[in-house]
Amino acid sequence: FVTSVPIGSVLLRRTMDELERRLDPRRFLRVHRSAIVRRDHVRALGHDGRGGWSAELKCGAVVRIGRSYLPAAKAMAGHRPGA
């Protein structure tokens, strides 16, 4: 997969599951089957009004949040259950 870093993109030859296991869960959060974000880079969570959620990063990028990852993303952002 390809990851974005401040100086460009880097190609890593690892599965997302393997990368997720290697990263510190206090600093990183899996938000989609194809996306892991650094917790302190998430500016806000947004809802599209049709059931879809996304994370807006401080750099301006928007990353879609998968349904199975939504509870953890909401907990990280301090959302109340059911909100």
Side-chain angles (χ1 to χ4, degrees):
F1 77 96
V2 176
T3 185
S4 178
V5 294
I7 57 171
S9 296
V10 177
L11 177 64
L12 298 175
R13 298 197 182 279
R14 304 227 183 271
T15 66
M16 289 296 285
D17 286 338
E18 184 180 355
L19 182 61
E20 182 181 19
R21 283 192 302 272
R22 294 175 60 112
L23 293 171
D24 182 350
R26 294 170 296 181
R27 295 187 64 207
F28 294 90
L29 179 68
R30 181 115 181 231
V31 295
H32 193 273
R33 66 182 183 160
S34 62
I36 297 172
V37 298
R38 215 169 101 176
R39 291 172 178 266
D40 64 340
H41 284 218
V42 176
R43 177 181 294 146
L45 299 185
H47 187 268
D48 67 9
R50 298 174 303 193
W53 284 80
S54 59
E56 179 187 346
L57 305 183
K58 291 179 181 178
C59 68
V62 176
V63 179
R64 187 156 173 78
I65 300 172
R67 284 180 292 187
S68 63
Y69 304 99
L70 185 56
K74 284 183 170 182
M76 176 204 66
H79 282 252
R80 296 180 324 276

PDB file of all heavy atoms in Angstrom, residues 34-72:
ATOM      1  N   SER A  34      -8.583   0.130   4.307  1.00  0.00           N
ATOM      2  CA  SER A  34      -7.425   0.632   3.568  1.00  0.00           C
ATOM      3  C   SER A  34      -6.821   1.894   4.169  1.00  0.00           C
ATOM      4  O   SER A  34      -6.059   2.582   3.498  1.00  0.00           O
ATOM      5  CB  SER A  34      -7.815   0.898   2.114  1.00  0.00           C
ATOM      6  OG  SER A  34      -8.809   1.899   2.070  1.00  0.00           O
ATOM      7  N   ALA A  35      -7.156   2.217   5.445  1.00  0.00           N
ATOM      8  CA  ALA A  35      -6.631   3.456   6.028  1.00  0.00           C
ATOM      9  C   ALA A  35      -6.366   3.337   7.522  1.00  0.00           C
ATOM     10  O   ALA A  35      -7.208   2.853   8.280  1.00  0.00           O
ATOM     11  CB  ALA A  35      -7.603   4.598   5.779  1.00  0.00           C
ATOM     12  N   ILE A  36      -5.200   3.809   7.913  1.00  0.00           N
ATOM     13  CA  ILE A  36      -4.812   3.960   9.311  1.00  0.00           C
ATOM     14  C   ILE A  36      -4.396   5.420   9.460  1.00  0.00           C
ATOM     15  O   ILE A  36      -3.646   5.936   8.632  1.00  0.00           O
ATOM     16  CB  ILE A  36      -3.640   3.031   9.687  1.00  0.00           C
ATOM     17  CG1 ILE A  36      -4.055   1.565   9.549  1.00  0.00           C
ATOM     18  CG2 ILE A  36      -3.167   3.312  11.117  1.00  0.00           C
ATOM     19  CD1 ILE A  36      -2.906   0.580   9.721  1.00  0.00           C
ATOM     20  N   VAL A  37      -4.886   6.090  10.514  1.00  0.00           N
ATOM     21  CA  VAL A  37      -4.539   7.497  10.716  1.00  0.00           C
ATOM     22  C   VAL A  37      -3.830   7.679  12.052  1.00  0.00           C
ATOM     23  O   VAL A  37      -4.009   6.882  12.976  1.00  0.00           O
ATOM     24  CB  VAL A  37      -5.788   8.412  10.660  1.00  0.00           C
ATOM     25  CG1 VAL A  37      -6.452   8.343   9.295  1.00  0.00           C
ATOM     26  CG2 VAL A  37      -6.772   8.078  11.759  1.00  0.00           C
ATOM     27  N   ARG A  38      -3.022   8.734  12.107  1.00  0.00           N
ATOM     28  CA  ARG A  38      -2.412   9.094  13.377  1.00  0.00           C
ATOM     29  C   ARG A  38      -3.455   9.872  14.171  1.00  0.00           C
ATOM     30  O   ARG A  38      -4.050  10.824  13.661  1.00  0.00           O
ATOM     31  CB  ARG A  38      -1.172   9.957  13.140  1.00  0.00           C
ATOM     32  CG  ARG A  38      -0.109   9.673  14.161  1.00  0.00           C
ATOM     33  CD  ARG A  38       1.175  10.299  13.793  1.00  0.00           C
ATOM     34  NE  ARG A  38       1.310  11.526  14.580  1.00  0.00           N
ATOM     35  CZ  ARG A  38       2.377  12.283  14.540  1.00  0.00           C
ATOM     36  NH1 ARG A  38       3.373  12.003  13.746  1.00  0.00           N
ATOM     37  NH2 ARG A  38       2.442  13.348  15.293  1.00  0.00           N
ATOM     38  N   ARG A  39      -3.706   9.432  15.388  1.00  0.00           N
ATOM     39  CA  ARG A  39      -4.780  10.003  16.202  1.00  0.00           C
ATOM     40  C   ARG A  39      -4.668  11.519  16.346  1.00  0.00           C
ATOM     41  O   ARG A  39      -5.665  12.230  16.248  1.00  0.00           O
ATOM     42  CB  ARG A  39      -4.801   9.356  17.586  1.00  0.00           C
ATOM     43  CG  ARG A  39      -5.243   7.911  17.563  1.00  0.00           C
ATOM     44  CD  ARG A  39      -5.050   7.274  18.941  1.00  0.00           C
ATOM     45  NE  ARG A  39      -5.502   5.906  18.959  1.00  0.00           N
ATOM     46  CZ  ARG A  39      -6.713   5.529  19.343  1.00  0.00           C
ATOM     47  NH1 ARG A  39      -7.595   6.417  19.734  1.00  0.00           N
ATOM     48  NH2 ARG A  39      -7.047   4.256  19.329  1.00  0.00           N
ATOM     49  N   ASP A  40      -3.464  12.018  16.566  1.00  0.00           N
ATOM     50  CA  ASP A  40      -3.307  13.454  16.790  1.00  0.00           C
ATOM     51  C   ASP A  40      -3.378  14.274  15.500  1.00  0.00           C
ATOM     52  O   ASP A  40      -3.299  15.494  15.538  1.00  0.00           O
ATOM     53  CB  ASP A  40      -2.031  13.765  17.560  1.00  0.00           C
ATOM     54  CG  ASP A  40      -0.766  13.391  16.817  1.00  0.00           C
ATOM     55  OD1 ASP A  40      -0.815  12.569  15.878  1.00  0.00           O
ATOM     56  OD2 ASP A  40       0.305  13.922  17.183  1.00  0.00           O
ATOM     57  N   HIS A  41      -3.563  13.631  14.367  1.00  0.00           N
ATOM     58  CA  HIS A  41      -3.723  14.336  13.100  1.00  0.00           C
ATOM     59  C   HIS A  41      -5.185  14.454  12.675  1.00  0.00           C
ATOM     60  O   HIS A  41      -5.481  15.068  11.655  1.00  0.00           O
ATOM     61  CB  HIS A  41      -2.913  13.647  11.996  1.00  0.00           C
ATOM     62  CG  HIS A  41      -1.456  13.937  12.107  1.00  0.00           C
ATOM     63  ND1 HIS A  41      -0.673  14.134  11.014  1.00  0.00           N
ATOM     64  CD2 HIS A  41      -0.646  14.087  13.181  1.00  0.00           C
ATOM     65  CE1 HIS A  41       0.576  14.376  11.401  1.00  0.00           C
ATOM     66  NE2 HIS A  41       0.596  14.344  12.717  1.00  0.00           N
ATOM     67  N   VAL A  42      -6.086  13.870  13.466  1.00  0.00           N
ATOM     68  CA  VAL A  42      -7.513  13.949  13.156  1.00  0.00           C
ATOM     69  C   VAL A  42      -8.065  15.253  13.722  1.00  0.00           C
ATOM     70  O   VAL A  42      -7.986  15.502  14.918  1.00  0.00           O
ATOM     71  CB  VAL A  42      -8.292  12.744  13.737  1.00  0.00           C
ATOM     72  CG1 VAL A  42      -9.790  12.895  13.491  1.00  0.00           C
ATOM     73  CG2 VAL A  42      -7.770  11.448  13.134  1.00  0.00           C
ATOM     74  N   ARG A  43      -8.592  16.102  12.836  1.00  0.00           N
ATOM     75  CA  ARG A  43      -9.173  17.382  13.248  1.00  0.00           C
ATOM     76  C   ARG A  43     -10.622  17.188  13.692  1.00  0.00           C
ATOM     77  O   ARG A  43     -11.052  17.749  14.691  1.00  0.00           O
ATOM     78  CB  ARG A  43      -9.116  18.382  12.103  1.00  0.00           C
ATOM     79  CG  ARG A  43      -9.776  19.720  12.453  1.00  0.00           C
ATOM     80  CD  ARG A  43      -9.735  20.700  11.309  1.00  0.00           C
ATOM     81  NE  ARG A  43      -8.347  21.062  11.045  1.00  0.00           N
ATOM     82  CZ  ARG A  43      -7.869  21.331   9.840  1.00  0.00           C
ATOM     83  NH1 ARG A  43      -8.650  21.280   8.784  1.00  0.00           N
ATOM     84  NH2 ARG A  43      -6.604  21.660   9.673  1.00  0.00           N
ATOM     85  N   ALA A  44     -11.387  16.403  12.921  1.00  0.00           N
ATOM     86  CA  ALA A  44     -12.807  16.241  13.216  1.00  0.00           C
ATOM     87  C   ALA A  44     -13.356  15.029  12.485  1.00  0.00           C
ATOM     88  O   ALA A  44     -12.784  14.564  11.507  1.00  0.00           O
ATOM     89  CB  ALA A  44     -13.572  17.494  12.779  1.00  0.00           C
ATOM     90  N   LEU A  45     -14.490  14.541  12.983  1.00  0.00           N
ATOM     91  CA  LEU A  45     -15.245  13.513  12.281  1.00  0.00           C
ATOM     92  C   LEU A  45     -16.446  14.185  11.642  1.00  0.00           C
ATOM     93  O   LEU A  45     -17.021  15.112  12.210  1.00  0.00           O
ATOM     94  CB  LEU A  45     -15.731  12.426  13.241  1.00  0.00           C
ATOM     95  CG  LEU A  45     -14.677  11.636  14.004  1.00  0.00           C
ATOM     96  CD1 LEU A  45     -15.352  10.532  14.815  1.00  0.00           C
ATOM     97  CD2 LEU A  45     -13.628  11.064  13.094  1.00  0.00           C
ATOM     98  N   GLY A  46     -16.816  13.707  10.471  1.00  0.00           N
ATOM     99  CA  GLY A  46     -17.964  14.281   9.787  1.00  0.00           C
ATOM    100  C   GLY A  46     -18.916  13.206   9.309  1.00  0.00           C
ATOM    101  O   GLY A  46     -18.512  12.087   9.008  1.00  0.00           O
ATOM    102  N   HIS A  47     -20.193  13.552   9.250  1.00  0.00           N
ATOM    103  CA  HIS A  47     -21.255  12.651   8.823  1.00  0.00           C
ATOM    104  C   HIS A  47     -21.855  13.217   7.547  1.00  0.00           C
ATOM    105  O   HIS A  47     -22.132  14.419   7.474  1.00  0.00           O
ATOM    106  CB  HIS A  47     -22.305  12.562   9.932  1.00  0.00           C
ATOM    107  CG  HIS A  47     -23.353  11.547   9.684  1.00  0.00           C
ATOM    108  ND1 HIS A  47     -24.533  11.849   9.058  1.00  0.00           N
ATOM    109  CD2 HIS A  47     -23.404  10.235   9.965  1.00  0.00           C
ATOM    110  CE1 HIS A  47     -25.269  10.766   8.978  1.00  0.00           C
ATOM    111  NE2 HIS A  47     -24.608   9.772   9.528  1.00  0.00           N
ATOM    112  N   ASP A  48     -22.064  12.384   6.560  1.00  0.00           N
ATOM    113  CA  ASP A  48     -22.574  12.890   5.269  1.00  0.00           C
ATOM    114  C   ASP A  48     -24.102  12.941   5.203  1.00  0.00           C
ATOM    115  O   ASP A  48     -24.667  13.316   4.176  1.00  0.00           O
ATOM    116  CB  ASP A  48     -22.019  12.082   4.103  1.00  0.00           C
ATOM    117  CG  ASP A  48     -22.506  10.642   4.062  1.00  0.00           C
ATOM    118  OD1 ASP A  48     -23.417  10.269   4.830  1.00  0.00           O
ATOM    119  OD2 ASP A  48     -21.959   9.872   3.241  1.00  0.00           O
ATOM    120  N   GLY A  49     -24.779  12.558   6.280  1.00  0.00           N
ATOM    121  CA  GLY A  49     -26.237  12.599   6.301  1.00  0.00           C
ATOM    122  C   GLY A  49     -26.907  11.373   5.710  1.00  0.00           C
ATOM    123  O   GLY A  49     -28.118  11.247   5.748  1.00  0.00           O
ATOM    124  N   ARG A  50     -26.120  10.471   5.131  1.00  0.00           N
ATOM    125  CA  ARG A  50     -26.659   9.245   4.535  1.00  0.00           C
ATOM    126  C   ARG A  50     -26.078   8.002   5.190  1.00  0.00           C
ATOM    127  O   ARG A  50     -26.136   6.923   4.624  1.00  0.00           O
ATOM    128  CB  ARG A  50     -26.367   9.223   3.045  1.00  0.00           C
ATOM    129  CG  ARG A  50     -27.006  10.365   2.285  1.00  0.00           C
ATOM    130  CD  ARG A  50     -26.556  10.370   0.875  1.00  0.00           C
ATOM    131  NE  ARG A  50     -25.089  10.463   0.906  1.00  0.00           N
ATOM    132  CZ  ARG A  50     -24.326  10.741  -0.128  1.00  0.00           C
ATOM    133  NH1 ARG A  50     -24.859  10.922  -1.305  1.00  0.00           N
ATOM    134  NH2 ARG A  50     -23.020  10.829  -0.006  1.00  0.00           N
ATOM    135  N   GLY A  51     -25.461   8.160   6.343  1.00  0.00           N
ATOM    136  CA  GLY A  51     -24.900   7.022   7.056  1.00  0.00           C
ATOM    137  C   GLY A  51     -23.398   6.895   6.942  1.00  0.00           C
ATOM    138  O   GLY A  51     -22.790   6.079   7.617  1.00  0.00           O
ATOM    139  N   GLY A  52     -22.773   7.682   6.086  1.00  0.00           N
ATOM    140  CA  GLY A  52     -21.330   7.619   5.917  1.00  0.00           C
ATOM    141  C   GLY A  52     -20.600   8.597   6.828  1.00  0.00           C
ATOM    142  O   GLY A  52     -21.082   9.699   7.086  1.00  0.00           O
ATOM    143  N   TRP A  53     -19.462   8.171   7.322  1.00  0.00           N
ATOM    144  CA  TRP A  53     -18.635   9.007   8.191  1.00  0.00           C
ATOM    145  C   TRP A  53     -17.244   9.132   7.590  1.00  0.00           C
ATOM    146  O   TRP A  53     -16.775   8.250   6.881  1.00  0.00           O
ATOM    147  CB  TRP A  53     -18.521   8.381   9.579  1.00  0.00           C
ATOM    148  CG  TRP A  53     -19.753   8.545  10.416  1.00  0.00           C
ATOM    149  CD1 TRP A  53     -20.893   7.812  10.359  1.00  0.00           C
ATOM    150  CD2 TRP A  53     -19.962   9.509  11.432  1.00  0.00           C
ATOM    151  NE1 TRP A  53     -21.800   8.251  11.273  1.00  0.00           N
ATOM    152  CE2 TRP A  53     -21.249   9.292  11.960  1.00  0.00           C
ATOM    153  CE3 TRP A  53     -19.179  10.529  11.973  1.00  0.00           C
ATOM    154  CZ2 TRP A  53     -21.773  10.065  12.984  1.00  0.00           C
ATOM    155  CZ3 TRP A  53     -19.703  11.293  13.001  1.00  0.00           C
ATOM    156  CH2 TRP A  53     -20.990  11.062  13.500  1.00  0.00           C
ATOM    157  N   SER A  54     -16.577  10.229   7.932  1.00  0.00           N
ATOM    158  CA  SER A  54     -15.204  10.432   7.486  1.00  0.00           C
ATOM    159  C   SER A  54     -14.433  11.179   8.561  1.00  0.00           C
ATOM    160  O   SER A  54     -15.014  11.823   9.437  1.00  0.00           O
ATOM    161  CB  SER A  54     -15.163  11.205   6.169  1.00  0.00           C
ATOM    162  OG  SER A  54     -15.793  12.455   6.328  1.00  0.00           O
ATOM    163  N   ALA A  55     -13.113  11.075   8.478  1.00  0.00           N
ATOM    164  CA  ALA A  55     -12.222  11.798   9.376  1.00  0.00           C
ATOM    165  C   ALA A  55     -11.531  12.881   8.565  1.00  0.00           C
ATOM    166  O   ALA A  55     -10.957  12.599   7.516  1.00  0.00           O
ATOM    167  CB  ALA A  55     -11.185  10.854   9.982  1.00  0.00           C
ATOM    168  N   GLU A  56     -11.612  14.113   9.045  1.00  0.00           N
ATOM    169  CA  GLU A  56     -10.890  15.208   8.413  1.00  0.00           C
ATOM    170  C   GLU A  56      -9.559  15.348   9.142  1.00  0.00           C
ATOM    171  O   GLU A  56      -9.527  15.496  10.367  1.00  0.00           O
ATOM    172  CB  GLU A  56     -11.665  16.513   8.513  1.00  0.00           C
ATOM    173  CG  GLU A  56     -10.925  17.676   7.882  1.00  0.00           C
ATOM    174  CD  GLU A  56     -11.594  19.010   8.114  1.00  0.00           C
ATOM    175  OE1 GLU A  56     -12.762  19.047   8.542  1.00  0.00           O
ATOM    176  OE2 GLU A  56     -10.925  20.029   7.882  1.00  0.00           O
ATOM    177  N   LEU A  57      -8.477  15.280   8.396  1.00  0.00           N
ATOM    178  CA  LEU A  57      -7.154  15.382   8.990  1.00  0.00           C
ATOM    179  C   LEU A  57      -6.693  16.837   9.007  1.00  0.00           C
ATOM    180  O   LEU A  57      -7.188  17.671   8.238  1.00  0.00           O
ATOM    181  CB  LEU A  57      -6.152  14.522   8.221  1.00  0.00           C
ATOM    182  CG  LEU A  57      -6.538  13.044   8.062  1.00  0.00           C
ATOM    183  CD1 LEU A  57      -5.432  12.297   7.344  1.00  0.00           C
ATOM    184  CD2 LEU A  57      -6.856  12.409   9.397  1.00  0.00           C
ATOM    185  N   LYS A  58      -5.743  17.150   9.860  1.00  0.00           N
ATOM    186  CA  LYS A  58      -5.245  18.515   9.985  1.00  0.00           C
ATOM    187  C   LYS A  58      -4.647  19.028   8.686  1.00  0.00           C
ATOM    188  O   LYS A  58      -4.674  20.232   8.428  1.00  0.00           O
ATOM    189  CB  LYS A  58      -4.219  18.604  11.110  1.00  0.00           C
ATOM    190  CG  LYS A  58      -4.840  18.420  12.477  1.00  0.00           C
ATOM    191  CD  LYS A  58      -3.796  18.484  13.568  1.00  0.00           C
ATOM    192  CE  LYS A  58      -4.437  18.284  14.930  1.00  0.00           C
ATOM    193  NZ  LYS A  58      -3.447  18.304  16.006  1.00  0.00           N
ATOM    194  N   CYS A  59      -4.157  18.142   7.833  1.00  0.00           N
ATOM    195  CA  CYS A  59      -3.573  18.547   6.553  1.00  0.00           C
ATOM    196  C   CYS A  59      -4.639  18.857   5.510  1.00  0.00           C
ATOM    197  O   CYS A  59      -4.334  19.289   4.404  1.00  0.00           O
ATOM    198  CB  CYS A  59      -2.628  17.468   6.032  1.00  0.00           C
ATOM    199  SG  CYS A  59      -3.469  15.947   5.553  1.00  0.00           S
ATOM    200  N   GLY A  60      -5.916  18.620   5.844  1.00  0.00           N
ATOM    201  CA  GLY A  60      -7.015  18.874   4.925  1.00  0.00           C
ATOM    202  C   GLY A  60      -7.541  17.632   4.223  1.00  0.00           C
ATOM    203  O   GLY A  60      -8.597  17.673   3.601  1.00  0.00           O
ATOM    204  N   ALA A  61      -6.816  16.531   4.306  1.00  0.00           N
ATOM    205  CA  ALA A  61      -7.265  15.286   3.688  1.00  0.00           C
ATOM    206  C   ALA A  61      -8.507  14.765   4.408  1.00  0.00           C
ATOM    207  O   ALA A  61      -8.686  14.982   5.611  1.00  0.00           O
ATOM    208  CB  ALA A  61      -6.159  14.237   3.735  1.00  0.00           C
ATOM    209  N   VAL A  62      -9.363  14.080   3.668  1.00  0.00           N
ATOM    210  CA  VAL A  62     -10.563  13.465   4.231  1.00  0.00           C
ATOM    211  C   VAL A  62     -10.459  11.964   3.992  1.00  0.00           C
ATOM    212  O   VAL A  62     -10.238  11.521   2.871  1.00  0.00           O
ATOM    213  CB  VAL A  62     -11.839  14.036   3.583  1.00  0.00           C
ATOM    214  CG1 VAL A  62     -13.072  13.325   4.114  1.00  0.00           C
ATOM    215  CG2 VAL A  62     -11.931  15.534   3.836  1.00  0.00           C
ATOM    216  N   VAL A  63     -10.607  11.186   5.068  1.00  0.00           N
ATOM    217  CA  VAL A  63     -10.473   9.732   5.006  1.00  0.00           C
ATOM    218  C   VAL A  63     -11.804   9.113   5.414  1.00  0.00           C
ATOM    219  O   VAL A  63     -12.320   9.405   6.501  1.00  0.00           O
ATOM    220  CB  VAL A  63      -9.344   9.242   5.947  1.00  0.00           C
ATOM    221  CG1 VAL A  63      -9.210   7.737   5.898  1.00  0.00           C
ATOM    222  CG2 VAL A  63      -8.029   9.927   5.613  1.00  0.00           C
ATOM    223  N   ARG A  64     -12.347   8.273   4.566  1.00  0.00           N
ATOM    224  CA  ARG A  64     -13.612   7.597   4.861  1.00  0.00           C
ATOM    225  C   ARG A  64     -13.416   6.623   6.018  1.00  0.00           C
ATOM    226  O   ARG A  64     -12.381   5.973   6.129  1.00  0.00           O
ATOM    227  CB  ARG A  64     -14.080   6.848   3.624  1.00  0.00           C
ATOM    228  CG  ARG A  64     -15.440   6.257   3.774  1.00  0.00           C
ATOM    229  CD  ARG A  64     -16.073   6.075   2.406  1.00  0.00           C
ATOM    230  NE  ARG A  64     -17.312   5.356   2.498  1.00  0.00           N
ATOM    231  CZ  ARG A  64     -18.449   5.902   2.892  1.00  0.00           C
ATOM    232  NH1 ARG A  64     -18.500   7.157   3.217  1.00  0.00           N
ATOM    233  NH2 ARG A  64     -19.556   5.176   2.948  1.00  0.00           N
ATOM    234  N   ILE A  65     -14.437   6.538   6.875  1.00  0.00           N
ATOM    235  CA  ILE A  65     -14.412   5.618   8.011  1.00  0.00           C
ATOM    236  C   ILE A  65     -15.339   4.458   7.695  1.00  0.00           C
ATOM    237  O   ILE A  65     -16.527   4.659   7.394  1.00  0.00           O
ATOM    238  CB  ILE A  65     -14.871   6.317   9.311  1.00  0.00           C
ATOM    239  CG1 ILE A  65     -13.942   7.493   9.628  1.00  0.00           C
ATOM    240  CG2 ILE A  65     -14.910   5.318  10.466  1.00  0.00           C
ATOM    241  CD1 ILE A  65     -14.426   8.345  10.782  1.00  0.00           C
ATOM    242  N   GLY A  66     -14.817   3.243   7.754  1.00  0.00           N
ATOM    243  CA  GLY A  66     -15.622   2.052   7.527  1.00  0.00           C
ATOM    244  C   GLY A  66     -16.553   1.785   8.703  1.00  0.00           C
ATOM    245  O   GLY A  66     -16.247   2.117   9.848  1.00  0.00           O
ATOM    246  N   ARG A  67     -17.700   1.174   8.414  1.00  0.00           N
ATOM    247  CA  ARG A  67     -18.698   0.918   9.462  1.00  0.00           C
ATOM    248  C   ARG A  67     -18.144   0.154  10.650  1.00  0.00           C
ATOM    249  O   ARG A  67     -18.467   0.458  11.794  1.00  0.00           O
ATOM    250  CB  ARG A  67     -19.892   0.167   8.888  1.00  0.00           C
ATOM    251  CG  ARG A  67     -20.813   1.041   8.083  1.00  0.00           C
ATOM    252  CD  ARG A  67     -21.959   0.248   7.548  1.00  0.00           C
ATOM    253  NE  ARG A  67     -21.403  -0.671   6.550  1.00  0.00           N
ATOM    254  CZ  ARG A  67     -22.112  -1.436   5.766  1.00  0.00           C
ATOM    255  NH1 ARG A  67     -23.403  -1.451   5.870  1.00  0.00           N
ATOM    256  NH2 ARG A  67     -21.533  -2.204   4.884  1.00  0.00           N
ATOM    257  N   SER A  68     -17.309  -0.861  10.385  1.00  0.00           N
ATOM    258  CA  SER A  68     -16.799  -1.664  11.503  1.00  0.00           C
ATOM    259  C   SER A  68     -15.775  -0.913  12.342  1.00  0.00           C
ATOM    260  O   SER A  68     -15.501  -1.305  13.475  1.00  0.00           O
ATOM    261  CB  SER A  68     -16.211  -2.977  10.987  1.00  0.00           C
ATOM    262  OG  SER A  68     -15.110  -2.725  10.140  1.00  0.00           O
ATOM    263  N   TYR A  69     -15.227   0.178  11.829  1.00  0.00           N
ATOM    264  CA  TYR A  69     -14.223   0.966  12.551  1.00  0.00           C
ATOM    265  C   TYR A  69     -14.838   2.207  13.200  1.00  0.00           C
ATOM    266  O   TYR A  69     -14.177   2.904  13.969  1.00  0.00           O
ATOM    267  CB  TYR A  69     -13.101   1.404  11.595  1.00  0.00           C
ATOM    268  CG  TYR A  69     -12.454   0.243  10.904  1.00  0.00           C
ATOM    269  CD1 TYR A  69     -12.802  -0.110   9.605  1.00  0.00           C
ATOM    270  CD2 TYR A  69     -11.504  -0.538  11.561  1.00  0.00           C
ATOM    271  CE1 TYR A  69     -12.213  -1.194   8.974  1.00  0.00           C
ATOM    272  CE2 TYR A  69     -10.913  -1.623  10.933  1.00  0.00           C
ATOM    273  CZ  TYR A  69     -11.277  -1.947   9.645  1.00  0.00           C
ATOM    274  OH  TYR A  69     -10.700  -3.022   9.016  1.00  0.00           O
ATOM    275  N   LEU A  70     -16.103   2.483  12.913  1.00  0.00           N
ATOM    276  CA  LEU A  70     -16.751   3.700  13.392  1.00  0.00           C
ATOM    277  C   LEU A  70     -16.821   3.807  14.917  1.00  0.00           C
ATOM    278  O   LEU A  70     -16.534   4.879  15.463  1.00  0.00           O
ATOM    279  CB  LEU A  70     -18.137   3.835  12.766  1.00  0.00           C
ATOM    280  CG  LEU A  70     -18.899   5.116  13.075  1.00  0.00           C
ATOM    281  CD1 LEU A  70     -18.097   6.349  12.676  1.00  0.00           C
ATOM    282  CD2 LEU A  70     -20.254   5.100  12.377  1.00  0.00           C
ATOM    283  N   PRO A  71     -17.197   2.753  15.654  1.00  0.00           N
ATOM    284  CA  PRO A  71     -17.258   2.900  17.111  1.00  0.00           C
ATOM    285  C   PRO A  71     -15.920   3.348  17.721  1.00  0.00           C
ATOM    286  O   PRO A  71     -15.902   4.223  18.594  1.00  0.00           O
ATOM    287  CB  PRO A  71     -17.666   1.499  17.607  1.00  0.00           C
ATOM    288  CG  PRO A  71     -18.421   0.918  16.455  1.00  0.00           C
ATOM    289  CD  PRO A  71     -17.706   1.429  15.231  1.00  0.00           C
ATOM    290  N   ALA A  72     -14.816   2.797  17.260  1.00  0.00           N
ATOM    291  CA  ALA A  72     -13.511   3.183  17.795  1.00  0.00           C
ATOM    292  C   ALA A  72     -13.167   4.619  17.415  1.00  0.00           C
ATOM    293  O   ALA A  72     -12.607   5.367  18.213  1.00  0.00           O
ATOM    294  CB  ALA A  72     -12.427   2.231  17.301  1.00  0.00           C
TER     295      ALA A  72
END
